[in-house]
Amino acid sequence: MAQSLLQFHQWHISDSVTMSAYRDGIARSVRTGDVVLDLGAGTGILSLMACEAGARRVYAVEPAAIIALVPKIAADNGFGDRVICEKRESFDVELPEKADVMIASMLDAAGVFGTNMLRVVLDARRRLLKPGGVIVPQTVTTSFCPVDFGSWHEASIACWTEPRMGFDFRSVRSVAANQQGSRGVKKDNLLAQPQAFDPIELADATSTNMGRTLYFEIEREGTLHALAGWLDIIMAADVRCSSSPLVETPMSWSHLILPVDSPVHVRSGDRIEAAVRAWDDGRETVVVWDVWLRDALGNARAEFHHSSFYGLLLTKEDLRRLDVDSVRALSERGMAQCTALTLCDGNRSLEEIAAATLESHPGLFRNLADARDFVLGVLREPETAAEVRGRAPIGS
Ligand SMILES: C[S@@+](CC[C@H](N)C(=O)[O-])C[C@H]1O[C@@H](n2cnc3c(N)ncnc32)[C@H](O)[C@@H]1O
């Protein structure tokens, strides 16, 4: 497990504002004897809270390596017999029983905006939650505000116009200006009153796409560098938390930064229209932000059109691969992968599969050890019977 993964989770569970809101929200939502699904369990802290609230059984679902720690943590807290771990993405999970309560914590800097969380929730709600089951959080709202944020713009975008070791890197600048940033903004950075999207009720949401045109009136002189986005969460009735820079005790999360390509001077009374959309094509979530600046009389002053698609760094080869009319043929490695997968018939050992793959593709491997590494790599993705058998001890 990468140290950064542990660091991320250490930071996440140390945010007492967010964690207290989860704890209160879970306490209000889980009844004694309930079955709870903890989607994106991480260290399992929300599973522990669910047990504390009286859950009979908690299914902790998490694809990342951190899940290996959860059985011990659950046992150390006296809940080892109630928490069942599933090391996989929610999309691949099937449960022996449907949950009364589903906890979904895959929130990002601007809530569900720009993430695949709605796709995760819609799928899990349909397959894994009882009809009428409760979801924590209940509601997530994304807000945006134009910000004067010169230090961030300089360090993240303008910096690419400077030569490095005498070499010209200016072409990178437009890519950087189409990428979403992440940084905490302060009240002093705000140029207008923030505007919110419609709240998303996770129990009722039907689309993974979201978007809204927001209208702002500039309240002070400054420079427009970006739109900053944040989230407000209702965990359960009366249990709220927010990462807004305007609240007294915000969650300790960074904000989403959607830059404008060229900083522009703004005056009190100027108007900003910002169309901000995110859609999820099943693989990537693409965020598009168009910004129009007008003076108080309505005269156009500047406009910016950005999309995270241009920040994805796709090569022509990547795009060609996505072309549905492209015709494919397997390379020698592809054929060896095919061989290895076909040999996974429930009878052969890993060593036998490696030996047979080596025999069929002698030009590809130096020796049996090479072939074994190759086969292990091939089998990392598809679910095999050995993995299925290996699942039980994780939660038991
Ligand atoms: C923000 S962390 C929350 C961790 C933990 N619940 C907490 O509150 O500390 C979100 C977790 O969701 C996991 N995740 C992302 N997509 C997922 C999916 N489709 N199914 C299950 N877990 C997912 C990530 O690996 C990550 O560990």
Side-chain angles (χ1 to χ4, degrees):
M1 178 170 49
Q3 197 192 15
S4 58
L5 184 64
L6 210 49
Q7 275 168 353
F8 167 78
H9 285 287
Q10 195 267 345
W11 163 78
H12 203 257
I13 65 175
S14 303
D15 174 7
S16 59
V17 172
T18 312
M19 285 298 136
S20 299
Y22 269 118
R23 189 178 223 160
D24 292 348
I26 288 168
R28 294 209 186 176
S29 307
V30 174
R31 289 159 311 173
T32 305
D34 273 355
V35 173
V36 175
L37 169 60
D38 180 6
L39 279 182
T43 56
I45 190 165
L46 307 184
S47 296
L48 303 182
M49 291 176 186
C51 289
E52 182 184 62
R56 165 173 63 81
R57 168 82 68 225
V58 181
Y59 294 97
V61 177
E62 169 62 59
I66 190 87
I67 189 83
L69 298 174
V70 175
K72 178 79 171 83
I73 294 171
D76 288 347
N77 288 280
F79 301 130
D81 57 338
R82 286 197 256 166
V83 179
I84 305 280
C85 296
E86 294 277 351
K87 183 176 192 266
R88 59 197 62 230
E89 284 210 330
S90 55
F91 306 106
D92 301 325
V93 168
E94 285 167 25
L95 298 181
E97 56 193 330
K98 290 201 173 184
D100 301 286
V101 178
M102 177 167 106
I103 305 167
S105 56
M106 290 82 57
L107 293 160
D108 211 341
V112 297
F113 185 84
T115 74
N116 74 345
M117 177 161 156
L118 282 176
R119 181 155 45 104
V120 172
V121 167
L122 263 57
D123 168 71
R125 193 181 70 192
R126 180 175 59 80
R127 296 186 304 108
L128 307 172
L129 185 66
K130 284 182 185 165
V134 176
I135 304 181
V136 181
Q138 217 171 60
T139 310
V140 183
T141 307
T142 299
S143 295
F144 282 98
C145 189
V147 287
D148 185 321
F149 209 19
S151 56
W152 180 86
H153 203 281
E154 180 61 40
S156 308
I157 297 171
C159 60
W160 288 107
T161 51
E162 299 298 323
R164 302 288 156 92
M165 306 301 288
F167 298 115
D168 185 340
F169 281 87
R170 274 177 299 179
S171 60
V172 181
R173 191 185 184 288
S174 66
V175 175
N178 282 292
Q179 286 187 339
Q180 307 159 68
S182 171
R183 186 69 63 83
V185 297
K186 301 257 184 314
K187 194 176 168 184
D188 292 349
N189 298 115
L190 309 187
L191 288 165
Q193 289 298 320
Q195 302 296 324
F197 276 39
D198 291 334
I200 296 191
E201 306 275 346
L202 295 184
D204 300 331
T206 51
S207 170
T208 56
N209 302 331
M210 55 191 293
R212 175 108 196 234
T213 301
L214 304 168
Y215 298 91
F216 304 92
E217 181 175 335
I218 297 294
E219 293 186 336
R220 67 170 176 89
E221 189 167 8
T223 304
L224 171 68
H225 292 103
L227 300 172
W230 54 81
L231 78 161
D232 288 273
I233 306 176
I234 301 179
M235 294 289 184
D238 300 331
V239 182
R240 294 162 183 265
C241 59
S242 168
S243 64
S244 164
L246 294 174
V247 300
E248 206 169 298
T249 320
M251 300 155 68
S252 60
W253 292 21
S254 293
H255 301 122
L256 174 68
I257 310 295
L258 303 179
V260 295
D261 184 66
S262 313
V264 51
H265 179 253
V266 290
R267 283 180 290 267
S268 179
D270 283 353
R271 312 273 165 161
I272 288 178
E273 179 179 340
V276 187
R277 281 118 41 222
W279 70 84
D280 181 354
D281 74 353
R283 274 186 308 260
E284 294 283 351
T285 306
V286 174
V287 174
V288 177
W289 59 108
D290 297 308
V291 179
W292 294 269
L293 173 66
R294 297 185 185 88
D295 66 17
L297 299 173
N299 301 309
R301 293 201 44 221
E303 61 183 82
F304 305 98
H305 304 281
H306 294 274
S307 168
S308 64
F309 180 79
Y310 299 117
L312 286 178
L313 297 178
L314 294 174
T315 62
K316 282 190 180 146
E317 186 53 34
D318 294 329
L319 290 173
R320 236 176 270 130
R321 280 207 197 97
L322 296 173
D323 180 356
V324 288
D325 292 326
S326 62
V327 176
R328 311 286 183 87
L330 286 179
S331 64
E332 178 70 18
R333 274 181 79 79
M335 286 200 260
Q337 287 172 338
C338 208
T339 304
L341 285 174
T342 311
L343 292 169
C344 279
D345 57 1
N347 296 315
R348 291 178 173 84
S349 70
L350 185 65
E351 196 69 358
E352 286 168 334
I353 295 170
T357 307
L358 172 63
E359 197 181 325
S360 303
H361 305 275
L364 219 49
F365 312 105
R366 280 175 305 175
N367 49 38
L368 182 61
D370 256 8
R372 199 185 299 128
D373 285 348
F374 174 82
V375 170
L376 277 171
V378 172
L379 298 187
R380 201 166 290 142
E381 271 300 309
E383 178 167 315
T384 64
E387 271 185 75
V388 173
R389 278 201 301 273
R391 241 197 297 171
I394 296 177
S396 57

